[in-house]
Amino acid sequence: MAAPAQLGLQNAASPIMEELIAFHDHALMIIFLISSLVLYIISLMLTTKLTHTSTMNAQEIEMIWTILPAMILIMIALPSLRILYMTDEFNKPYLTLKAIGHQWYWSYEYSDYEDLAFDSYIMPTYFLEPGEFRLLEVDNRTTLPMEADIRVLISSQDVLHSWAVPSLGVKTDAIPGRLNQAMVASMRPGLYYGQCSEICGSNHSFMPIVLEFIYFQDFEVWASYLYI
């Protein structure tokens, strides 16, 4: 959950998000070092009247400023490709959840359970309990087991939507007529909030996502209760 005046990313709740935060810090440090070096060189050029004539046409300098940026790009590209392939790995998911976007709410279906499905609408302000978040709470939270790989199949029934939960490092487009998939996992129990991240219409900001991760035994009790 984001905090007021927060400058960084939300705290990671999944291994993928931990990798994304590490890559963000890695790339940000490289950008900071490059910017500092360029600023230092510009300040030298503006504060000195001396010109080093022997380096104006030096092949060594040209080789350095050609090879060094290529090496920096490789240092950024390799971790990026690693995370990209990690997000596309689906190894024996424990559970399959289908999320369908509508104007303007989400429908969820648990494919491993027969007739276990519900709609998730935004909670009106006058129904909120103390401690709940306005414009982020829903009437039916999506309950999932923690410490398990969960495959989420994402689609839409009308227009483009985007199913995004920042603290879990997932953001996948919901496209009509197409079935996209993402892997979700949480290392600890709790509530994780997200929203549609696609401009899908006038009420675009009123279709939040709330995932509630609980222990395995509690999830089986919850699923059996709804299944009955």
Coordinates of all heavy atoms in Angstrom, one line a residue, residues 40-94:
Y40 N 29.9 16.8 -14.6 CA 31.3 17.2 -14.2 C 32.0 17.7 -15.5 O 32.8 18.7 -15.4 CB 32.0 16.0 -13.6 CG 33.4 16.3 -13.3 CD1 33.9 17.1 -12.3 CD2 34.4 15.6 -14.0 CE1 35.2 17.3 -12.1 CE2 35.7 15.8 -13.8 CZ 36.1 16.7 -12.8 OH 37.5 16.8 -12.6
I41 N 31.9 17.0 -16.6 CA 32.6 17.3 -17.8 C 32.1 18.7 -18.3 O 32.9 19.5 -18.8 CB 32.4 16.2 -18.9 CG1 33.1 15.0 -18.4 CG2 33.0 16.7 -20.2 CD1 32.9 13.8 -19.3
I42 N 30.8 18.9 -18.3 CA 30.2 20.2 -18.7 C 30.8 21.3 -17.9 O 31.1 22.4 -18.4 CB 28.7 20.1 -18.7 CG1 28.2 19.2 -19.8 CG2 28.1 21.5 -18.9 CD1 26.7 19.0 -19.8
S43 N 30.8 21.1 -16.5 CA 31.3 22.2 -15.7 C 32.8 22.5 -15.9 O 33.2 23.6 -15.9 CB 31.1 21.8 -14.2 OG 31.9 20.6 -13.9
L44 N 33.6 21.4 -16.3 CA 35.0 21.7 -16.6 C 35.1 22.5 -17.9 O 35.9 23.4 -18.0 CB 35.7 20.3 -16.8 CG 36.1 19.6 -15.5 CD1 36.8 18.3 -15.8 CD2 36.9 20.5 -14.6
M45 N 34.3 22.2 -18.9 CA 34.3 22.9 -20.2 C 33.9 24.3 -20.0 O 34.4 25.2 -20.7 CB 33.4 22.2 -21.2 CG 33.9 20.8 -21.6 SD 32.7 20.0 -22.7 CE 32.8 21.1 -24.1
L46 N 33.0 24.6 -19.1 CA 32.5 26.0 -18.9 C 33.5 26.8 -18.0 O 33.4 28.1 -18.0 CB 31.1 26.0 -18.3 CG 30.0 25.4 -19.2 CD1 28.7 25.4 -18.4 CD2 29.9 26.2 -20.5
T47 N 34.3 26.2 -17.2 CA 35.1 26.9 -16.2 C 36.6 27.0 -16.6 O 37.4 27.6 -15.9 CB 35.0 26.2 -14.8 OG1 35.4 24.9 -14.9 CG2 33.6 26.4 -14.3
T48 N 37.0 26.3 -17.7 CA 38.4 26.4 -18.1 C 38.5 26.9 -19.5 O 37.7 26.6 -20.4 CB 39.1 25.0 -18.0 OG1 40.5 25.2 -18.3 CG2 38.5 24.0 -18.9
K49 N 39.6 27.6 -19.8 CA 39.8 28.1 -21.1 C 40.9 27.3 -21.9 O 41.2 27.6 -23.0 CB 40.3 29.6 -21.1 CG 39.2 30.5 -20.5 CD 39.7 32.0 -20.4 CE 38.7 32.9 -19.9 NZ 39.1 34.3 -19.8
L50 N 41.4 26.3 -21.2 CA 42.5 25.5 -21.8 C 41.9 24.5 -22.8 O 40.8 23.9 -22.5 CB 43.3 24.8 -20.7 CG 44.0 25.8 -19.7 CD1 44.7 24.9 -18.7 CD2 45.0 26.7 -20.5
T51 N 42.6 24.1 -23.8 CA 42.2 23.1 -24.8 C 43.3 22.2 -25.0 O 44.4 22.6 -25.3 CB 41.8 23.8 -26.1 OG1 40.7 24.7 -25.9 CG2 41.3 22.7 -27.1
H52 N 43.0 20.9 -24.8 CA 44.0 19.8 -25.0 C 44.0 19.4 -26.4 O 43.1 18.6 -26.9 CB 43.7 18.7 -24.0 CG 44.9 17.8 -23.8 ND1 45.6 17.1 -24.8 CD2 45.6 17.6 -22.6 CE1 46.6 16.5 -24.2 NE2 46.6 16.7 -22.9
T53 N 44.9 19.9 -27.2 CA 44.8 19.7 -28.7 C 45.1 18.3 -29.1 O 44.6 17.8 -30.1 CB 45.8 20.7 -29.4 OG1 47.1 20.5 -28.9 CG2 45.4 22.1 -29.2
S54 N 45.9 17.6 -28.3 CA 46.3 16.2 -28.7 C 45.1 15.2 -28.5 O 45.2 14.1 -29.0 CB 47.4 15.7 -27.8 OG 47.1 15.7 -26.4
T55 N 44.1 15.6 -27.8 CA 42.9 14.6 -27.7 C 41.7 15.0 -28.5 O 40.7 14.3 -28.5 CB 42.5 14.6 -26.2 OG1 42.1 15.9 -25.8 CG2 43.6 14.1 -25.3
M56 N 41.8 16.0 -29.3 CA 40.7 16.4 -30.1 C 40.4 15.4 -31.2 O 39.3 15.2 -31.6 CB 41.0 17.8 -30.7 CG 41.1 18.9 -29.7 SD 39.6 19.1 -28.7 CE 38.5 19.7 -29.9
N57 N 41.4 14.7 -31.7 CA 41.2 13.8 -32.8 C 41.8 12.4 -32.4 O 42.2 11.6 -33.3 CB 41.9 14.2 -34.1 CG 41.3 15.5 -34.6 OD1 40.1 15.6 -34.7 ND2 42.1 16.5 -35.0
A58 N 41.8 12.1 -31.1 CA 42.5 10.9 -30.7 C 41.5 9.7 -30.9 O 40.3 9.7 -30.5 CB 42.8 11.0 -29.2
Q59 N 42.0 8.6 -31.5 CA 41.2 7.4 -31.7 C 40.9 6.7 -30.4 O 39.9 6.0 -30.2 CB 42.0 6.5 -32.6 CG 42.2 7.0 -34.0 CD 40.9 7.2 -34.8 OE1 40.0 6.4 -34.6 NE2 40.9 8.2 -35.6
E60 N 41.8 6.8 -29.4 CA 41.6 6.2 -28.1 C 40.3 6.7 -27.4 O 39.5 5.9 -26.9 CB 42.8 6.4 -27.2 CG 44.1 5.7 -27.6 CD 44.8 6.5 -28.7 OE1 44.3 7.6 -29.0 OE2 45.8 6.0 -29.2
I61 N 40.2 8.0 -27.4 CA 39.0 8.6 -26.8 C 37.7 8.2 -27.5 O 36.7 7.8 -26.9 CB 39.1 10.2 -26.8 CG1 40.2 10.6 -25.9 CG2 37.8 10.8 -26.4 CD1 40.0 10.3 -24.5
E62 N 37.7 8.1 -28.8 CA 36.6 7.7 -29.6 C 36.2 6.2 -29.3 O 35.1 5.9 -29.2 CB 36.8 7.9 -31.1 CG 36.9 9.4 -31.5 CD 37.0 9.5 -33.0 OE1 36.8 8.5 -33.7 OE2 37.2 10.7 -33.4
M63 N 37.2 5.4 -29.1 CA 37.0 4.0 -28.8 C 36.4 3.9 -27.4 O 35.4 3.1 -27.1 CB 38.3 3.2 -28.8 CG 38.8 3.0 -30.2 SD 40.4 2.0 -30.2 CE 39.8 0.5 -29.5
I64 N 36.8 4.7 -26.4 CA 36.3 4.7 -25.1 C 34.8 5.1 -25.1 O 34.0 4.4 -24.5 CB 37.1 5.5 -24.1 CG1 38.5 4.9 -24.0 CG2 36.4 5.7 -22.8 CD1 39.5 5.8 -23.2
W65 N 34.5 6.2 -25.7 CA 33.1 6.6 -25.6 C 32.2 5.9 -26.6 O 31.0 6.2 -26.7 CB 33.0 8.1 -25.8 CG 33.3 8.8 -27.1 CD1 32.9 8.3 -28.3 CD2 34.0 10.0 -27.3 NE1 33.4 9.2 -29.3 CE2 34.0 10.2 -28.7 CE3 34.6 10.9 -26.5 CZ2 34.6 11.3 -29.3 CZ3 35.2 12.0 -27.0 CH2 35.2 12.2 -28.4
T66 N 32.7 4.9 -27.3 CA 31.9 4.0 -28.1 C 31.7 2.7 -27.3 O 30.6 2.2 -27.3 CB 32.5 3.7 -29.5 OG1 32.6 5.0 -30.2 CG2 31.6 2.8 -30.3
I67 N 32.8 2.1 -26.8 CA 32.7 0.8 -26.1 C 32.0 0.9 -24.7 O 31.2 0.1 -24.4 CB 34.1 0.2 -26.0 CG1 34.7 0.0 -27.4 CG2 34.1 -1.0 -25.2 CD1 36.1 -0.5 -27.4
L68 N 32.4 2.0 -24.0 CA 31.8 2.1 -22.7 C 30.3 2.2 -22.6 O 29.6 1.5 -21.8 CB 32.4 3.4 -22.0 CG 32.1 3.6 -20.5 CD1 32.6 2.3 -19.7 CD2 32.7 4.8 -19.9
P69 N 29.6 3.0 -23.5 CA 28.2 3.0 -23.5 C 27.6 1.6 -23.9 O 26.5 1.2 -23.3 CB 27.8 4.1 -24.5 CG 28.9 5.0 -24.6 CD 30.1 4.1 -24.3
A70 N 28.3 0.9 -24.8 CA 27.8 -0.4 -25.1 C 27.8 -1.4 -23.9 O 26.9 -2.2 -23.7 CB 28.6 -1.0 -26.3
M71 N 28.9 -1.3 -23.2 CA 29.0 -2.1 -22.0 C 28.0 -1.8 -20.9 O 27.4 -2.6 -20.3 CB 30.4 -2.0 -21.4 CG 31.5 -2.5 -22.3 SD 33.2 -2.2 -21.5 CE 33.0 -3.1 -20.0
I72 N 27.7 -0.5 -20.8 CA 26.6 0.0 -19.9 C 25.3 -0.6 -20.3 O 24.5 -1.0 -19.4 CB 26.6 1.5 -19.7 CG1 28.0 2.0 -19.1 CG2 25.4 2.0 -18.9 CD1 28.1 3.5 -19.1
L73 N 25.0 -0.5 -21.6 CA 23.7 -1.1 -22.1 C 23.6 -2.6 -21.8 O 22.5 -3.1 -21.5 CB 23.6 -0.8 -23.6 CG 23.3 0.7 -23.9 CD1 23.3 0.9 -25.4 CD2 22.1 1.2 -23.3
I74 N 24.7 -3.3 -21.9 CA 24.7 -4.7 -21.7 C 24.4 -5.0 -20.2 O 23.7 -5.9 -19.8 CB 26.0 -5.4 -22.1 CG1 26.1 -5.3 -23.6 CG2 26.1 -6.8 -21.6 CD1 27.4 -5.8 -24.2
M75 N 25.0 -4.1 -19.3 CA 24.8 -4.3 -17.9 C 23.3 -4.0 -17.5 O 22.8 -4.6 -16.5 CB 25.7 -3.3 -17.1 CG 27.2 -3.6 -17.2 SD 28.2 -2.3 -16.4 CE 27.5 -2.3 -14.8
I76 N 22.6 -3.2 -18.3 CA 21.2 -3.0 -18.0 C 20.4 -4.0 -18.7 O 19.3 -4.5 -18.1 CB 20.8 -1.6 -18.5 CG1 21.6 -0.5 -17.8 CG2 19.3 -1.3 -18.4 CD1 21.3 0.9 -18.3
A77 N 20.7 -4.5 -19.9 CA 19.9 -5.4 -20.6 C 19.9 -6.8 -20.0 O 18.8 -7.4 -20.0 CB 20.4 -5.5 -22.1
L78 N 21.0 -7.3 -19.5 CA 21.0 -8.7 -19.0 C 20.1 -8.9 -17.8 O 19.3 -9.8 -17.8 CB 22.4 -9.1 -18.7 CG 23.4 -9.2 -19.9 CD1 24.8 -9.6 -19.5 CD2 22.8 -10.2 -20.9
P79 N 20.1 -8.0 -16.8 CA 19.1 -8.2 -15.7 C 17.7 -8.0 -16.2 O 16.8 -8.7 -15.6 CB 19.6 -7.2 -14.7 CG 21.0 -6.8 -15.0 CD 21.1 -7.0 -16.5
S80 N 17.5 -7.1 -17.1 CA 16.1 -6.9 -17.6 C 15.6 -8.1 -18.3 O 14.4 -8.5 -18.1 CB 16.2 -5.7 -18.6 OG 14.9 -5.5 -19.1
L81 N 16.4 -8.8 -19.1 CA 16.0 -10.0 -19.8 C 15.7 -11.1 -18.8 O 14.8 -11.9 -19.0 CB 17.0 -10.4 -20.9 CG 17.2 -9.5 -22.1 CD1 18.3 -9.9 -23.0 CD2 15.8 -9.5 -22.9
R82 N 16.6 -11.2 -17.8 CA 16.4 -12.2 -16.8 C 15.0 -12.1 -16.1 O 14.3 -13.1 -15.9 CB 17.5 -12.1 -15.7 CG 17.3 -13.1 -14.6 CD 18.5 -13.0 -13.7 NE 18.4 -13.8 -12.5 CZ 17.8 -13.3 -11.3 NH1 17.4 -12.0 -11.3 NH2 17.7 -14.1 -10.3
I83 N 14.6 -10.9 -15.7 CA 13.3 -10.7 -15.1 C 12.2 -10.9 -16.1 O 11.2 -11.4 -15.7 CB 13.3 -9.2 -14.5 CG1 14.3 -9.0 -13.4 CG2 11.9 -8.9 -14.0 CD1 14.4 -7.6 -12.9
L84 N 12.4 -10.5 -17.3 CA 11.4 -10.7 -18.3 C 11.1 -12.2 -18.5 O 9.9 -12.6 -18.6 CB 11.8 -10.1 -19.7 CG 10.8 -10.2 -20.8 CD1 9.6 -9.4 -20.5 CD2 11.5 -9.7 -22.1
Y85 N 12.1 -13.1 -18.5 CA 11.9 -14.5 -18.6 C 11.3 -15.1 -17.3 O 10.5 -16.0 -17.4 CB 13.2 -15.2 -19.0 CG 13.5 -15.1 -20.5 CD1 14.4 -14.2 -21.0 CD2 12.8 -15.9 -21.4 CE1 14.7 -14.1 -22.3 CE2 13.1 -15.8 -22.8 CZ 14.0 -14.9 -23.2 OH 14.3 -14.8 -24.6
M86 N 11.7 -14.5 -16.2 CA 11.1 -15.0 -14.9 C 9.6 -14.7 -14.9 O 8.8 -15.6 -14.3 CB 11.8 -14.3 -13.8 CG 13.2 -14.8 -13.5 SD 14.0 -13.8 -12.2 CE 12.9 -14.1 -10.8
T87 N 9.1 -13.6 -15.4 CA 7.7 -13.3 -15.4 C 6.9 -14.2 -16.3 O 5.7 -14.3 -16.1 CB 7.5 -11.8 -15.7 OG1 8.0 -11.6 -17.0 CG2 8.1 -10.9 -14.7
D88 N 7.6 -14.8 -17.3 CA 6.9 -15.7 -18.2 C 6.9 -17.2 -17.9 O 6.5 -18.0 -18.6 CB 7.4 -15.5 -19.6 CG 7.0 -14.2 -20.2 OD1 6.0 -13.6 -19.8 OD2 7.7 -13.7 -21.1
E89 N 7.5 -17.5 -16.7 CA 7.6 -18.9 -16.3 C 6.4 -19.3 -15.5 O 6.0 -18.6 -14.6 CB 8.9 -19.1 -15.4 CG 10.2 -19.0 -16.2 CD 11.4 -19.3 -15.3 OE1 11.2 -19.5 -14.1 OE2 12.5 -19.2 -15.8
F90 N 5.8 -20.4 -16.0 CA 4.6 -21.0 -15.3 C 4.9 -22.5 -15.0 O 4.6 -23.3 -15.9 CB 3.4 -20.8 -16.2 CG 3.1 -19.4 -16.5 CD1 3.6 -18.7 -17.6 CD2 2.2 -18.7 -15.6 CE1 3.3 -17.4 -17.8 CE2 1.9 -17.3 -15.8 CZ 2.5 -16.7 -16.9
N91 N 5.4 -22.7 -13.8 CA 5.7 -24.1 -13.5 C 4.7 -24.7 -12.5 O 4.7 -24.4 -11.3 CB 7.1 -24.2 -12.8 CG 8.2 -23.7 -13.8 OD1 8.1 -24.0 -15.0 ND2 9.2 -23.0 -13.3
K92 N 3.8 -25.5 -13.0 CA 2.8 -26.2 -12.2 C 2.1 -25.3 -11.2 O 2.3 -25.4 -10.0 CB 3.5 -27.4 -11.5 CG 4.0 -28.4 -12.4 CD 4.7 -29.6 -11.6 CE 5.2 -30.6 -12.5 NZ 5.9 -31.8 -11.8
P93 N 1.3 -24.4 -11.6 CA 0.6 -23.5 -10.7 C -0.3 -24.3 -9.8 O -1.0 -25.2 -10.2 CB -0.2 -22.6 -11.6 CG -0.3 -23.3 -12.9 CD 0.9 -24.2 -13.0
Y94 N -0.4 -23.8 -8.5 CA -1.3 -24.5 -7.5 C -2.7 -24.2 -7.8 O -3.6 -25.0 -7.6 CB -0.9 -24.0 -6.1 CG -1.8 -24.4 -5.1 CD1 -1.7 -25.7 -4.5 CD2 -2.8 -23.6 -4.6 CE1 -2.6 -26.1 -3.5 CE2 -3.7 -24.0 -3.6 CZ -3.6 -25.3 -3.1 OH -4.4 -25.7 -2.1

